[in-house]
């Protein structure tokens, strides 16, 4: 059964009707980004339980017990690279460079073993954020989605 994350998309809609405020870096690559995203549903299978929404506010650190992941509302099964790729974008939002994180993804066993799947997921997630960031309220969420979309685009090169 494919991951529920298989439905992530956005570049396809943006390609069909590019918004005026779309950054030139995205606008110039819309066909390529939509193509990368289109590969995702076929690759979104796997037997790993994935959190699906890893970010700092979904992790609780205890000095004795370590890190506990909370808010499993988006949990699904799928390829192991989903959580690593999601966390990679959070590292960019925390100030790490896209080049450093790209190296991390290239070298980490979970993502290095499936680079096409990782790239397709990142494209689909980034497209999802680019599309959703243009929807009406809630403003705080839309600002986060704009930042995450920019981070994802930086990672996609």
């Amino acid at each position: 059964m494919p991951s529920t994350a298989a439905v992530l998309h956005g570049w396809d809609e943006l390609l069909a009707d590019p918004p005026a405020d779309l950054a030139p870096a995205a606008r110039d690559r819309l066909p390529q980004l939509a193509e990368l995203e289109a590969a995702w549903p076929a690759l979104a299978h796997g037997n790993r339980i994935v959190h699906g929404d890893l970010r700092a506010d979904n992790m609780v650190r205890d000095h004795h017990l370590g890190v506990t992941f909370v808010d499993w509302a988006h949990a699904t099964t799928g390829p192991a690279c989903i959580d690593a790729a999601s966390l990679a974008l959070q590292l960019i939002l925390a100030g790490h460079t896209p080049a450093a994180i790209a190296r991390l993804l290239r070298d980490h066993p979970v993502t290095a073993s499936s680079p096409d799947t990782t790239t397709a997921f990142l494209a689909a997630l980034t497209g999802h954020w680019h599309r959703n960031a243009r929807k009406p309220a809630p403003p705080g969420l839309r600002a986060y989605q704009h930042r995450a979309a920019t981070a994802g685009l930086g990672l996609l090169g």
Side-chain angles (χ1 to χ4, degrees):
M1 176 173 178
S3 167
T4 56
V7 300
L8 287 174
H9 71 98
W11 294 121
D12 56 342
E13 291 180 19
L14 296 170
L15 179 62
D17 187 19
D21 68 339
L22 191 61
R27 181 179 297 281
D28 295 345
R29 299 177 50 215
L30 272 174
Q32 175 196 12
L33 293 165
E35 184 178 330
L36 287 170
E37 173 185 86
W40 170 239
L43 299 169
H45 53 83
N47 60 0
R48 298 291 180 105
I49 296 173
V50 294
H51 185 278
D53 192 23
L54 284 185
R55 54 180 203 251
D57 60 334
N58 284 338
M59 297 179 224
V60 177
R61 182 170 183 251
D62 179 281
H63 291 284
H64 301 288
L65 299 174
V67 176
T68 301
F69 299 105
V70 299
D71 187 5
W72 286 79
H74 299 286
T76 188
T77 57
C81 69
I82 288 175
D83 283 340
S86 295
L87 193 53
L89 294 176
Q90 298 305 309
L91 292 171
I92 293 171
L93 290 174
H96 296 274
T97 67
I101 301 308
R103 281 191 304 277
L104 178 69
L105 290 175
R106 184 192 67 229
D107 297 339
H108 193 282
V110 170
T111 50
S113 64
S114 56
D116 293 342
T117 302
T118 301
T119 299
F121 172 73
L122 285 170
L125 182 60
T126 301
H128 169 79
W129 282 332
H130 270 280
R131 182 196 62 198
N132 284 359
R134 289 167 171 73
K135 291 182 177 180
L141 176 60
R142 300 306 174 220
Y144 166 78
Q145 288 172 330
H146 274 290
R147 289 190 312 275
T150 300
L153 196 56
L155 192 53
L156 288 166

